Amino acid sequence: MPITCIDARMAHKALSARLNKSDKADAEGLAQLARTGWFTKVHIRSEASDRVRTLVAARERLIRMRKDLEAHIRGVLKTFGIRMGPVLRAHHRQGFRDQLAEAGACDPMLGLLAQTMIPIHKTLCASAEALGDELMHVAKQNTLARRLMTVPGVGPLVALNFIATIDDANRFRRSTDVGAFLGLTPRRYQSGEIDRSGRISKCGDAEMRRLLVSAATSLITQVRRYSPLKSWAIRLSARKGFKKAAVATASKIAVILHAIWRDGTEFNCNRPISTTCRVA
């Protein structure tokens, strides 16, 4: 017998309206929801999608740990009048460890700090890089991911996480619904003569939303190849500002990715795109 999962927020609203809160009353309320069908079904992702999301989340956690460690060390050294300079990504951010070792050579206490933190920092960088390489390998073996990566600004991480987050392209009747699902469309408040749009809703997966905004930023600032999508994003940035343009472009990229997935096509740099987009 198939199992149906319902939206917990809708069930909470239905159960909280009851006068008395008890297990019997909750069971009766859930039975009423099941009988009437007044509930929203929740999609359960496949195990394969959860595996990919686990790798993506693990890599993101390692990067955050590395950033937290670097910020802590910079703050400690600043107390002693040592200001660390910018660090390049070469050789797993070896420049950061070199600066820390140099600072440790001037003071025994800082030397102990450097001796303790340098191996940890090196391990975090190497582990994050290893997970990134593994995700790159998985993306190369995935036909759908390779098609999604034809969109300018979209790399292996964005493509794989998008596939794992959506899981099934047939969940959405229209590709334009994906932007709202990921919280990239403005909130709307309408009552009588009042009708206004606010900031984006930020519903759905926050990590996927962050990756899409990162892809949009890369498209606007780094991608050199011309495409109607890049041209539209640059014009929007000049008119609305960079931040709003990046969010709107992220929503547009999500729509394009779903359309490519659903239609079995690739991104065409010469094909014009729809210029309609709601900007907060």
Side-chain angles (χ1 to χ4, degrees):
M1 181 177 180
I3 299 176
T4 301
C5 294
I6 67 175
D7 190 344
R9 293 172 297 181
M10 180 172 292
H12 175 72
K13 289 181 179 179
L15 298 179
S16 61
R18 292 177 170 269
L19 181 61
N20 296 318
K21 175 72 170 66
S22 65
D23 292 342
K24 182 179 180 180
D26 290 347
E28 182 180 354
L30 292 175
Q32 290 288 351
L33 286 178
R35 182 181 64 84
T36 59
W38 290 351
F39 59 84
T40 302
K41 295 182 180 180
V42 177
H43 175 77
I44 305 301
R45 286 189 297 265
S46 64
E47 185 176 343
S49 295
D50 282 337
R51 291 180 184 276
V52 173
R53 286 173 59 86
T54 299
L55 288 180
V56 173
R59 176 182 176 275
E60 176 62 22
R61 176 57 60 183
L62 288 172
I63 292 176
R64 289 185 181 182
M65 292 170 63
R66 187 260 298 169
K67 289 181 177 179
D68 291 341
L69 180 63
E70 291 181 355
H72 172 72
I73 293 175
R74 287 179 182 273
V76 170
L77 295 183
K78 190 179 294 185
T79 305
F80 297 93
I82 302 175
R83 188 179 184 89
M84 301 184 72
V87 179
L88 300 178
R89 295 179 58 186
H91 304 293
H92 304 308
R93 301 180 66 84
Q94 180 63 41
F96 180 85
R97 296 189 290 273
D98 292 341
Q99 293 185 50
L100 178 57
E102 183 179 353
C106 304
D107 185 276
M109 187 276 294
L110 296 180
L112 179 61
L113 177 67
Q115 183 180 359
T116 305
M117 295 300 186
I118 286 178
I120 298 175
H121 183 268
K122 186 175 182 179
T123 301
L124 289 174
C125 293
S127 300
E129 188 73 18
L131 284 179
D133 293 341
E134 179 62 25
L135 289 169
M136 178 77 73
H137 175 72
V138 173
K140 289 181 178 180
Q141 301 299 321
N142 191 315
T143 304
L144 174 58
R146 292 201 305 270
R147 287 198 288 110
L148 296 183
M149 285 190 293
T150 59
V151 179
V154 175
L157 195 62
V158 178
L160 286 177
N161 205 44
F162 185 83
I163 295 172
T165 301
I166 302 301
D167 193 48
D168 182 7
N170 296 324
R171 294 172 56 192
F172 303 95
R173 185 172 60 88
R174 300 175 302 178
S175 295
T176 52
D177 294 336
V178 178
F181 171 74
L182 295 174
L184 290 168
T185 54
R187 291 178 179 268
R188 185 179 182 183
Y189 179 84
Q190 186 179 47
S191 178
E193 297 181 356
I194 302 175
D195 187 0
R196 63 173 181 264
S197 296
R199 298 179 180 272
I200 59 173
S201 63
K202 294 186 179 180
C203 298
D205 189 88
E207 179 62 17
M208 185 72 254
R209 188 165 55 251
R210 185 192 67 81
L211 288 174
L212 286 171
V213 173
S214 177
T217 302
S218 176
L219 170 67
I220 297 173
T221 60
Q222 298 182 14
V223 174
R224 297 184 178 181
R225 185 180 180 185
Y226 168 81
S227 66
L229 178 61
K230 179 177 176 63
S231 178
W232 173 83
I234 292 177
R235 293 197 305 271
L236 186 63
S237 177
R239 191 170 70 253
K240 293 288 186 178
F242 180 81
K243 290 184 178 180
K244 289 185 177 181
V247 174
T249 305
S251 179
K252 182 72 71 175
I253 290 176
V255 173
I256 294 174
L257 291 176
H258 181 267
I260 289 175
W261 186 350
R262 180 195 59 195
D263 300 339
T265 57
E266 295 183 358
F267 183 79
N268 186 354
C269 292
N270 299 319
R271 182 179 179 181
I273 65 171
S274 172
T275 58
T276 58
C277 184
R278 298 174 62 194
V279 182

